[in-house]
Amino acid sequence: TPLYSSAASDVYKRQVLNMSALKDIKFSPNKNRVSVMAGVLNHELDKTTLKHGQALPLGTCKTVGVIGSSIGGGIGFLSRSYGLTCDNIERITMVDAMSNVIQVDSEHHSDLFWALRGAGANQFGVITEIEYKTFKLPEKFYGGIIEWPIKYGKKILRHYSDIMLSAPDNVFLYAYISHSSLDNAKISIMGYCMGDVKAVSYTHLRAHETSLH
């Protein structure tokens, strides 16, 4: 499963497998486990787990393949609370270089299990399916985006860093600058808070906001 464009940029004299037809998702609500085949995208898995009040920490881009993101790490809105996507892998089904279908987990091929979780582009075989552990969603979660003119960029990034150094694990902030013309350039913060909003120090946040003006 390719990772963004980085995988496609290194395919000289190699083969690329199209896994997009492998769309099966098997959810086991009693075990908090979900098995995902190689063609499933982030938003497709999110839609399935949400029906059961469960979630898996995935990347922030909805059209990226779940497995491709997993083998590169996978960081997103839930990662501060539940880790990277690769941290929640329980079992990997893989076709090795000898065309054997093998099951990889902490007890079987443990060295391969370690290497596949976050090592980047898969060079050990073809992964067809991964089983993950999932987590119960809280009753409430909050999110949104705030934008400022790019002239405030230096201050925004400084305060963003200060806030995240002391923020609780249920808070995720993502700073970015979108592509735009120079006269319309902005710096943005995408924010997400899961569960108890009161856990965030609003006095602390207000102090940072006030100092921008």
Side-chain angles (χ1 to χ4, degrees):
T1 305
L3 273 170
Y4 299 97
S5 60
S6 60
S9 65
D10 187 28
V11 294
Y12 180 67
K13 292 185 177 180
R14 301 186 184 185
Q15 291 182 328
V16 177
L17 301 180
N18 183 356
M19 313 286 276
S20 61
L22 302 180
K23 291 290 190 181
D24 195 30
I25 301 174
K26 299 176 183 177
F27 188 75
S28 302
N30 296 331
K31 297 180 179 180
N32 292 335
R33 295 288 187 272
V34 62
S35 294
V36 180
M37 296 201 75
V40 176
L41 305 181
N42 281 340
H43 73 93
E44 294 169 334
L45 178 56
D46 266 339
K47 184 177 180 180
T48 298
T49 56
L50 187 60
K51 292 178 181 178
H52 300 276
Q54 296 279 310
L56 173 71
L58 298 169
T60 56
C61 182
K62 68 178 183 179
T63 56
V64 168
V66 175
I67 288 180
S69 177
S70 300
I71 62 176
I75 186 170
F77 299 118
L78 302 180
S79 292
R80 284 173 55 82
S81 295
Y82 300 131
L84 304 179
T85 310
C86 66
D87 293 326
N88 295 286
I89 293 176
E90 293 290 311
R91 178 180 52 83
I92 298 169
T93 302
M94 191 183 83
V95 182
D96 67 14
M98 303 302 293
S99 300
N100 300 310
V101 178
I102 61 174
Q103 301 297 319
V104 181
D105 56 31
S106 59
E107 297 181 355
H108 305 88
H109 308 286
S110 58
D111 54 345
L112 193 55
F113 186 61
W114 172 85
L116 287 171
R117 292 177 298 152
N122 179 24
Q123 300 172 2
F124 306 102
V126 178
I127 297 176
T128 59
E129 187 175 11
I130 295 182
E131 181 182 275
Y132 305 87
K133 60 183 176 183
T134 61
F135 301 89
K136 183 180 180 180
L137 279 175
E139 294 183 1
K140 296 181 179 180
F141 46 91
Y142 308 84
I145 299 174
I146 303 177
E147 296 180 338
W148 296 267
I150 195 63
K151 66 180 181 179
Y152 294 113
K154 186 175 181 179
K155 289 184 177 180
I156 294 295
L157 291 176
R158 183 187 304 119
H159 294 305
Y160 162 77
S161 177
D162 291 341
I163 288 172
M164 291 312 296
L165 286 173
S166 58
D169 288 344
N170 67 329
V171 174
F172 179 94
L173 297 180
Y174 179 75
Y176 64 96
I177 299 174
S178 299
H179 178 74
S180 66
S181 60
L182 183 60
D183 59 348
N184 194 40
K186 295 180 175 63
I187 183 166
S188 305
I189 299 288
M190 179 185 298
Y192 178 92
C193 182
M194 182 175 61
D196 186 11
V197 174
K198 295 180 181 179
V200 183
S201 173
Y202 283 103
T203 301
H204 180 59
L205 293 176
R206 176 60 66 179
H208 285 288
E209 180 183 353
T210 302
S211 65
L212 294 175
H213 302 289

